[in-house]
Amino acid sequence: YEGALGRARRAAESGRLKGIIWQQGESNQSNTAGYLAALNAMVWDFRSDLGLPQLLFVAGEIGTWRDSSQEINRLIGRIPEQITNSSVVSADGLAPLNGDVTDPHFDAASQLTLGTRYAEEVLRILYD
């Protein structure tokens, strides 16, 4: 948390901080109890510590090619219901690293696509 907060503060030195982009890792997929409550508390803490109570929060799903990802992605999809001024980008259609469906990581092309999805979502929310 402190490392991410420090990076956000450094980014804010270059101008107005517009949002937080959060790519969920796979470590939470087997322990989903309390996930949304903990994430909500973290976002609230970030917003509070940065003095930006309405700072945009955009989360991304983890790879959809593994059955074990379905529950955490279902919860990620509910983030806008639980956290104000938030949104979610989908991992649908993205591919695993080296075609290995046991690997939760995205391949290079999928990382670029995911980055585009984040950019489009942030722009849509901030400037529509």
Side-chain angles (χ1 to χ4, degrees), residues 34-56:
Y35 173 78
L36 286 174
L39 188 64
N40 194 356
M42 185 197 72
V43 172
W44 189 90
D45 287 346
F46 262 113
R47 290 172 172 171
S48 177
D49 289 343
L50 293 168
L52 299 167
Q54 290 301 312
L55 185 64
L56 176 63

Side-chain angles (χ1 to χ4, degrees), residues 52-64:
L52 299 167
Q54 290 301 312
L55 185 64
L56 176 63
F57 179 79
V58 180
E61 293 179 333
I62 63 174
T64 58

Side-chain angles (χ1 to χ4, degrees), residues 52-125:
L52 299 167
Q54 290 301 312
L55 185 64
L56 176 63
F57 179 79
V58 180
E61 293 179 333
I62 63 174
T64 58
W65 54 86
R66 294 171 7 138
D67 289 340
S68 59
S69 303
Q70 291 181 18
E71 177 64 15
I72 193 73
N73 280 344
R74 185 183 66 74
L75 293 173
I76 291 169
R78 292 184 48 216
I79 287 172
E81 301 166 15
Q82 305 290 317
I83 299 174
T84 60
N85 201 30
S86 67
S87 188
V88 173
V89 295
S90 171
D92 286 345
L94 302 182
L97 186 64
N98 300 319
D100 180 359
V101 295
T102 65
D103 191 330
H105 300 99
F106 298 105
D107 68 9
S110 294
Q111 290 176 36
L112 292 171
T113 299
L114 192 58
T116 298
R117 289 178 184 176
Y118 274 117
E120 289 172 345
E121 187 65 2
V122 168
L123 291 171
R124 182 189 70 76
I125 292 169

